[in-house]
Amino acid sequence: MSVKYIPVQWNNNKYIYDAVMLLGVGLFLYVFLYAAPGLLSHERPINPQVHNARAFGACAFVMLSVILCIGPLARLDPRFLPLLYNRRHFGVMTVFVAITHAGYIIDWYFAFSSSNKYEALLFANTSYGQLAGFPFEIFGIFALFTLIVLAATSHDFWMKFLSPPVWKRIHYLIYPAYLSVVAHVSFGILQDQQNHTFTVIFIGGAAAVGVLHLMAALHERRVDQAIKADAVDWVPVCDVAQMREGFARIKLLANGERVAVYLNEGKLSAISNACAHQNGPLGEGRIINCLVTCPWHGFQYDVTSGRSPAPFTEMVPTYNLKTDGAMVLLDPRANPPGTFVEPVPAPGREAKL
Ligand code: HEM
Ligand code: FES
């Protein structure tokens, strides 16, 4: 919010998220390095440096694949939403793992070059015209450079400084970076793989990212089409029985706007689904004390007025609701941002005192 650049404080969820992530990385490295060293064996003779490099490279690849699966999973099933919450820490940790991988490679393959090892990395192999022996490291270098830029600009300060649209565009570079890692592995180590464990992890990871993105896009298109067929006047949202206390149902309007309709202490309120900070999905946040917290960076809004609590001044539009029997109906004409709307009692869902 606008007083300072720290809209999200550390909280227990974040500590747990980071601890689980660290544990996962530790476990992955332990299994690949010690418990099952044969998993990463290749045709070429292995030594500890290369063994470490392979384990860290495989770990960075798996982490990047998981990061890219979280978005579509959360769109397909809200139970995955908690994973979105601290995804940027996941990204930063991935960069450290990837840097360790590159460090081992550079220190092993290029440390004894007659020229500087970084120059050797770039110029030792220039066979770009052929598939066999293609300098696949170049794809790894591009990916690593991009990931470092994304991690370095992940803090909210940079979002404010660069402006949200520019920041968002820069962060879409995660996709070219991932494709580059896929090319790095496909042109590189996959060519001389003897043991197929890593090949299965690799193809499985890349396929999961592709298929989940396709499924999420098709899912959104189906929802959009169903909703576009709705009436122009009061539009039905859902049956009151389908609502969960403290959470929202998201309604897409014919004009493309999304509205978050909440059930809060037995009453219904609706605000725009787009956060004033960077259009984060407010309908995916949970209400506590009448305030919904944006899952992206933690801005908060009162669901009855669309206003951030003082001293913050952000506002989003509100919407009028009514009920017809158990059906919740929404007036698609938005109220000006910050307009208070009296919450509507939800039949059969009255709050227990
Ligand atoms: C400066 C950047 C990089 C360089 C120079 C580099 C170089 C290499 C080399 C030489 C290998 C083959 C190692 C061997 O002999 O077995 C390799 C494998 C690999 N790299 Fe990279 N890499 C870089 C960045 C990355 C990044 C950013 C990722 C992922 C996020 C990555 C993921 C992998 C994976 C998954 C393997 C295969 C590991 C295995 O065999 O199980 N690399 N890399
Ligand atoms: S807090 Fe950043 S988009 Fe909502």
Side-chain angles (χ1 to χ4, degrees):
M1 309 167 89
S2 44
V3 172
K4 53 182 176 170
Y5 293 125
I6 316 164
V8 180
Q9 285 76 33
W10 280 89
N11 58 39
N12 269 348
N13 287 342
K14 296 206 160 197
Y15 289 122
I16 294 170
Y17 192 113
D18 284 2
V20 170
M21 204 163 58
L22 269 172
L23 212 71
V25 172
L27 201 70
F28 186 97
L29 291 173
Y30 175 78
V31 169
F32 272 68
L33 285 171
Y34 305 110
L39 280 181
L40 286 181
S41 61
H42 301 293
E43 252 173 24
R44 274 175 281 144
I46 192 133
N47 62 62
Q49 286 284 92
V50 175
H51 189 47
N52 287 342
R54 288 174 181 174
F56 277 88
C59 188
F61 171 76
V62 170
M63 291 174 84
L64 207 52
S65 303
V66 173
I67 288 174
L68 287 175
C69 286
I70 293 175
L73 278 174
R75 270 183 277 151
L76 289 168
D77 187 334
R79 276 173 299 182
F80 289 101
L81 281 171
L83 296 179
L84 264 183
Y85 199 49
N86 207 16
R87 202 172 35 166
R88 66 171 85 184
H89 286 192
F90 206 147
V92 172
M93 197 173 291
T94 305
V95 173
F96 283 114
V97 175
I99 289 175
T100 312
H101 161 75
Y104 277 122
I105 294 289
I106 292 166
D107 276 342
W108 176 251
Y109 286 116
F110 302 99
F112 304 110
S113 314
S114 48
S115 58
N116 172 296
K117 56 185 175 184
Y118 298 101
E119 259 177 56
L121 169 66
L122 287 174
F123 303 114
N125 179 3
T126 49
S127 326
Y128 289 99
Q130 62 190 57
L131 270 184
F134 186 89
F136 64 93
E137 290 85 354
I138 198 74
F139 292 119
I141 294 169
F142 170 77
L144 189 65
F145 176 74
T146 310
L147 293 178
I148 290 172
V149 170
L150 300 191
T153 57
S154 66
H155 194 274
D156 264 358
F157 165 80
W158 288 102
M159 195 188 299
K160 194 97 183 174
F161 182 75
L162 295 166
S163 84
V166 174
W167 186 88
K168 209 167 178 174
R169 239 167 269 151
I170 293 176
H171 279 248
Y172 275 133
L173 283 174
I174 187 91
Y175 290 103
Y178 187 70
L179 287 178
S180 199
V181 172
V182 170
H184 174 64
V185 178
S186 307
F187 282 96
I189 211 67
L190 230 48
Q191 312 267 337
D192 69 345
Q193 195 85 333
Q194 256 191 345
N195 179 319
H196 290 295
T197 312
F198 179 71
T199 314
V200 171
I201 295 180
F202 174 68
I203 295 176
V209 171
V211 169
L212 281 172
H213 275 78
L214 203 70
M215 281 170 67
L218 290 175
H219 172 77
E220 297 226 320
R221 225 177 64 184
R222 268 200 305 276
V223 174
D224 287 6
Q225 277 165 356
I227 285 160
K228 277 204 176 110
D230 278 341
V232 192
D233 215 354
W234 284 86
V235 291
V237 178
C238 65
D239 193 291
V240 173
Q242 293 173 292
M243 300 200 67
R244 214 170 129 205
E245 177 62 44
F247 290 89
R249 298 281 298 193
I250 296 167
K251 177 74 186 167
L252 180 85
L253 302 177
N255 63 6
E257 300 284 326
R258 280 187 161 77
V259 181
V261 182
Y262 297 92
L263 177 62
N264 177 37
E265 297 181 350
K267 293 188 174 173
L268 301 159
S269 296
I271 60 174
S272 164
N273 190 48
C275 177
H277 179 215
Q278 212 214 333
N279 293 339
L282 292 180
E284 295 174 6
R286 189 193 168 160
I287 302 187
I288 295 170
N289 292 336
C290 210
L291 293 176
V292 64
T293 303
C294 177
W296 283 8
H297 316 101
F299 277 37
Q300 293 186 312
Y301 302 89
D302 185 321
V303 292
T304 61
S305 63
R307 288 172 184 262
S308 293
F312 304 107
T313 53
E314 280 72 17
M315 287 188 272
V316 293
T318 54
Y319 289 82
N320 296 334
L321 295 168
K322 67 178 182 182
T323 52
D324 180 6
M327 183 54 70
V328 182
L329 299 169
L330 169 85
D331 182 346
R333 287 158 301 186
N335 296 313
T339 307
F340 174 78
V341 176
E342 188 63 43
V344 174
R349 302 294 300 270
E350 292 78 10
K352 296 177 191 73
L353 296 172

